[in-house]
Amino acid sequence: MKRYPKDKTNGPVSISVPPALDIVNLHVSFKERRQKLSVLNGLSLTVEKGEFVAIVGPSGCGKSTLFHIIGGLLKPQDGQVLMNGKQVTGQRGHISYMPQQPALFPWRTIEDNVLLAGEIASATAFTAPVAPRAEALAEARQWLGSVGLAGFERAYPHQLSGGMQQRVAFLRALLSPQELMLLDEPFSALDALTRSDMQRWLLDIWEQNRRSVLFITHNIEEALLLADRVYVLSNRPAAVLHEVHVPFDRPRRDEITEEPAFLERKRQIAQWMKEEQQKARLS
């Protein structure tokens, strides 16, 4: 990604903007029953600022391990994690995270759950200054209203449907001060209809702020519908098999999933995944 400020003497000057996330040659292995289990094998990928990137790959290939490394919960044996050009390998507090399950605290109200990420960030030394509670609360209530949750601010998680809880979890990640959002199969537990609604909702919300997103999913159609690029990972130990650029204009239309170009990319990724499954059965 380039920006070109004007220079009065020599004309436009190219200034390189570092990616929001740059994963460089990660190698990770664990000891299991006195044997070495290799999980990541030289994995590299990038997420540019304001870009939505999806990852698909076989179950157990190491996608969650990758997220743990990006979040600073694990350190690789080799490789680097850079954010905005700075080395952050093994450091915590640089990302916002949305897990598969909403993971809302049942004793906190909906608005207090949304504010949680900001409260945690204010207690760390790794983030930018966090807005005062009154200001953060006003913003949270405004967002809750914009996503159809007006009137539920003082409700508790058990009073909301699964889809509504996922909206709260996403807003919690969205309103955290970190630029990079990691979404770990956030819709996998939802029924098909609710999942479709949440995909559309996520697209609409993301279009408003264009945060940098790395999104794990097993659903190929979901990856192509949401993302600018899709990384296809191999079996464990995971490496990048293919990088698919998604050419469809934004904002994305629901009908795009029926277009020949969309179906062809979906078929190709499915074929790559099938080949990886066959390799796993034969190994």
Side-chain angles (χ1 to χ4, degrees), residues 45 115 131 134 149 181 186 196 248:
L45 58 81
L115 293 175
L149 292 175
M181 298 179 64
S196 179
F248 311 114

Side-chain angles (χ1 to χ4, degrees), residues 210-249:
R210 294 294 180 110
R211 291 279 289 277
S212 305
V213 173
L214 187 60
F215 182 94
I216 289 177
T217 180
H218 281 95
N219 189 305
I220 298 171
E221 181 173 298
E222 182 172 74
L224 290 170
L225 178 65
L226 297 176
D228 298 304
R229 286 184 297 123
V230 179
Y231 285 102
V232 182
L233 302 189
S234 68
N235 286 312
R236 188 178 66 233
V240 174
L241 280 179
H242 302 279
E243 178 185 352
V244 179
H245 291 263
V246 183
F248 311 114
D249 293 335

Side-chain angles (χ1 to χ4, degrees), residues 137-263:
L137 183 59
E139 183 181 14
R141 288 173 175 172
Q142 182 178 0
W143 272 104
L144 285 167
S146 71
V147 301
L149 292 175
F152 291 92
E153 296 88 351
R154 303 298 297 169
Y156 289 88
H158 73 274
Q159 298 174 294
L160 274 60
S161 68
M164 293 167 74
Q165 290 184 27
Q166 287 296 82
R167 294 187 185 194
V168 175
F170 180 79
L171 285 183
R172 179 178 58 194
L174 181 69
L175 296 181
S176 67
Q178 297 87 352
E179 158 63 19
L180 179 66
M181 298 179 64
L182 304 185
L183 309 184
D184 188 358
E185 296 189 76
F187 308 142
S188 60
L190 302 176
D191 63 82
L193 183 59
T194 304
R195 183 171 190 152
S196 179
D197 288 342
M198 288 299 296
Q199 289 168 356
R200 169 51 52 196
W201 177 83
L202 175 57
L203 275 175
D204 291 342
I205 293 296
W206 181 81
E207 288 285 353
Q208 296 177 34
N209 59 80
R210 294 294 180 110
R211 291 279 289 277
S212 305
V213 173
L214 187 60
F215 182 94
I216 289 177
T217 180
H218 281 95
N219 189 305
I220 298 171
E221 181 173 298
E222 182 172 74
L224 290 170
L225 178 65
L226 297 176
D228 298 304
R229 286 184 297 123
V230 179
Y231 285 102
V232 182
L233 302 189
S234 68
N235 286 312
R236 188 178 66 233
V240 174
L241 280 179
H242 302 279
E243 178 185 352
V244 179
H245 291 263
V246 183
F248 311 114
D249 293 335
R250 294 188 184 276
R252 299 269 166 87
R253 299 172 290 103
D254 293 336
E255 297 79 10
I256 202 171
T257 60
E258 301 174 4
E259 293 184 2
F262 187 99
L263 294 172

Side-chain angles (χ1 to χ4, degrees), residues 38-40 55-64 233-239:
S38 184
V39 179
L40 302 180
I55 297 175
V56 297
S59 296
C61 73
K63 298 186 294 295
S64 293
L233 302 189
S234 68
N235 286 312
R236 188 178 66 233

